[in-house]
């Protein structure tokens, strides 16, 4: 899970806790209501409900719809504005009636605007992340002058091809958002000593849905980068904790039902499965990695024994 979705959920839970404490306080002593009713309501609704929903939605919707949020920076701005707005409004409101006049009202309006703008940012990101992928506008072919980041934004399914050809640093989302946005495919191939014509052919085969004709096994990532990214698996090999799920189900499709059993059927509509390690997906789905590895390797052992 990325940083800000996680922070939204954590902040939401903290607000729920404080909101509940204030609710209980009001239940015990109803005379407190005038002072803390607004705080209770907004902690629970603007704090807990909206932030919790936003955090989960920022994690899930881009994966369901296979497109990033339209304005990733906006998630961060929303987080700060919503927290500042909420805490500021609550402090002034609970401070007494002073917020209804003079300088305090000006301040209250400022905090209210912060919270309002935050909700607007959320609307923008979550509404438009649900827009259908506009395939008509996608280029029909990937060419060498296109930027790596732009290609990955438009064709997330091309990521495994980059990984298999040694561009393993692209497993890191920050790399995809930063230098990948400014480096063209041609330049990247030159730097990594990859045959650009062959590489473009593989990329275009993937985006057109045709199988790759080349029988050459994918290049191994450089040794020092292997730890942070997953490993490819080849026929005859057993599965490791850091084996890439995408590679595993490509080489051994018989393992697919195991993932479906543990993670549900939505698993294969998630673009993440192609470049996440078996152990990462297990942690993500709260499944014991040893349990799933054991089941996978049992199936693989039977497969490998087959003549
Ligand atoms: C331990 C949990 C909670 C307790 C003990 C509690 C208690 C209360 C009390 C005593 C009031 C009445 C205040 C008054 O009008 O004087 C109230 C109002 C309210 N609470 Fe809670 N509450 C809890 C959780 C929540 C949650 C989780 C939400 C929303 C997600 C929520 C939303 C509201 C709202 C919207 C009102 C105003 C209702 C109205 O205007 O009639 N509360 N709560
Ligand atoms: C942009 C964020 C928000 C701002 C700036 C804001 C501001 C306000 C203000 C100024 C009041 C009147 C307070 C008073 O008269 O003492 C109010 C009341 C209320 N707001 Fe919000 N609000 C926001 C978001 C929300 C959300 C997201 C919900 C629910 C989902 C909500 C539910 C309520 C309720 C139920 C009341 C009535 C409180 C009562 O009966 O005492 N607000 N809000």
């Amino acid at each position: 899970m990325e940083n800000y979705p996680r922070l939204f959920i954590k902040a939401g839970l903290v607000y729920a806790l404080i909101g509940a404490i204030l609710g209980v306080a009001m239940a015990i002593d109803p005379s407190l209501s005038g002072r803390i009713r607004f705080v209770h309501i907004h902690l629970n609704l603007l704090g807990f409900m909206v932030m919790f929903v936003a955090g989960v939605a920022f994690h899930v919707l881009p994966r369901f719809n296979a497109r990033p949020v339209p304005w990733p920076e906006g998630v961060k701005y929303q987080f700060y504005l919503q927290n500042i707005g909420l805490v500021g409004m609550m402090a002034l409101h609970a401070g007494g009636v002073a917020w209804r006049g003079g300088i305090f009202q000006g301040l209250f309006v400022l905090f209210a605007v912060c919270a309002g703008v935050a909700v607007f940012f959320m609307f923008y990101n979550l509404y438009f992340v649900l827009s259908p992928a506009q395939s008509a506008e996608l280029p029909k072919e990937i060419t060498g002058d296109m930027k790596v980041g732009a290609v990955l934004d438009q064709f997330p399914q091309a990521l495994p091809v980059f990984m298999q050809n040694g561009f393993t640093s692209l497993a890191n989302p920050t790399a995809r958002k930063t230098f990948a946005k400014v480096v063209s495919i041609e330049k990247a191939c030159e730097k990594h000593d990859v045959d650009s014509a062959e590489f473009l052919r593989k990329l275009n085969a993937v985006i057109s849905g045709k199988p790759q004709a080349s029988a050459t096994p994918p290049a191994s990532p450089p040794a020092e980068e292997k730890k942070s990214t997953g490993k490819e698996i080849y026929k005859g090999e057993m599965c490791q904790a850091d084996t890439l799920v995408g590679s595993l189900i490509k080489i051994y499709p018989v393992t697919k039902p195991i993932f479906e059993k543990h993670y549900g059927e939505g698993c294969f509509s998630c673009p993440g499965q192609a470049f996440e390690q078996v152990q990462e997906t297990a942690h993500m789905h709260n499944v014991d990695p040893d349990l799933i590895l054991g089941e996978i390797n049992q199936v693989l052992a039977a497969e490998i024994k087959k003549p």
Side-chain angles (χ1 to χ4, degrees):
M1 187 181 253
E2 282 162 17
N3 199 24
Y4 281 96
R6 188 197 308 272
L7 286 177
F8 267 117
I9 293 175
K10 284 188 169 174
L13 289 171
V14 171
Y15 290 136
L17 192 66
I18 308 172
I21 293 171
L22 295 187
V24 174
M26 281 191 296
I28 296 170
D29 181 358
S31 71
L32 288 172
S33 162
R35 200 74 181 264
I36 58 179
R37 182 186 156 91
F38 173 90
V39 179
H40 168 76
I41 291 173
H42 289 82
L43 272 175
N44 277 322
L45 295 170
L46 186 59
F48 167 53
M49 300 287 277
V50 176
M51 290 206 195
F52 198 94
V53 168
V56 173
F58 284 133
H59 181 72
V60 169
L61 296 187
R63 288 171 165 76
F64 274 0
N65 217 29
R67 59 153 47 194
V69 290
W71 184 35
E73 286 285 286
V75 176
K76 179 169 78 184
Y77 299 140
Q78 181 198 334
F79 181 78
Y80 290 116
L81 285 174
Q82 196 166 343
N83 280 290
I84 292 168
L86 177 62
V87 173
M89 282 198 301
M90 290 187 313
L92 285 171
H93 203 286
V97 287
W99 74 276
R100 280 195 201 270
I103 181 165
F104 289 112
Q105 176 151 16
L107 259 182
F108 188 88
V109 170
L110 190 73
F111 287 126
V113 169
C114 283
V117 171
V119 172
F120 175 77
F121 288 171
M122 176 183 74
F123 167 83
Y124 177 80
N125 266 330
L126 293 181
Y127 191 89
F128 291 107
V129 79
L130 290 176
S131 306
Q134 291 168 330
S135 48
E137 284 175 22
L138 289 180
K140 289 203 173 56
E141 196 193 355
I142 299 177
T143 52
D145 58 336
M146 289 167 74
K147 301 284 188 260
V148 173
V151 169
L152 288 172
D153 282 349
Q154 292 169 319
F155 305 105
Q157 72 271 36
L159 185 60
V161 183
F162 280 94
M163 305 283 286
Q164 287 161 5
N165 285 273
F167 302 102
T168 48
S169 52
L170 293 173
N172 181 346
T174 316
R176 299 203 291 274
K177 278 188 234 142
T178 51
F179 69 81
K181 295 266 183 214
V182 291
V183 178
S184 68
I185 295 191
E186 208 63 81
K187 273 261 164 309
C189 287
E190 215 177 281
K191 211 167 154 265
H192 284 253
D193 214 10
V194 170
D195 175 358
S196 61
E198 169 70 0
F199 181 56
L200 283 168
R201 198 193 54 71
K202 287 183 191 166
L203 284 177
N204 283 310
V206 164
I207 67 159
S208 65
K210 290 185 202 132
Q212 293 178 31
S214 169
T216 37
S220 277
E224 76 275 10
E225 290 179 48
K226 270 189 174 170
K227 275 185 263 112
S228 57
T229 62
K231 272 202 283 212
E232 295 290 329
I233 188 167
Y234 299 102
K235 266 240 167 321
E237 286 180 359
M238 296 297 270
C239 180
Q240 309 291 327
D242 59 352
T243 298
L244 291 168
V245 175
S247 173
L248 177 70
I249 55 177
K250 195 166 129 208
I251 303 294
Y252 295 109
V254 284
T255 57
K256 233 175 153 179
I258 300 176
F259 292 103
E260 278 167 346
K261 182 175 93 185
H262 290 286
Y263 305 163
E265 286 174 7
C267 173
F268 296 100
S269 63
C270 165
Q273 53 89 4
F275 48 86
E276 271 160 5
Q277 302 170 12
V278 172
Q279 61 186 355
E280 285 171 347
T281 60
H283 289 308
M284 216 183 289
H285 290 265
N286 263 336
V287 176
D288 179 358
D290 290 337
L291 172 85
I292 195 151
L293 264 177
E295 288 187 26
I296 292 169
N297 280 324
Q298 208 177 348
V299 169
L300 295 200
E303 274 297 293
I304 292 166
K305 267 199 216 135
K306 279 188 190 164

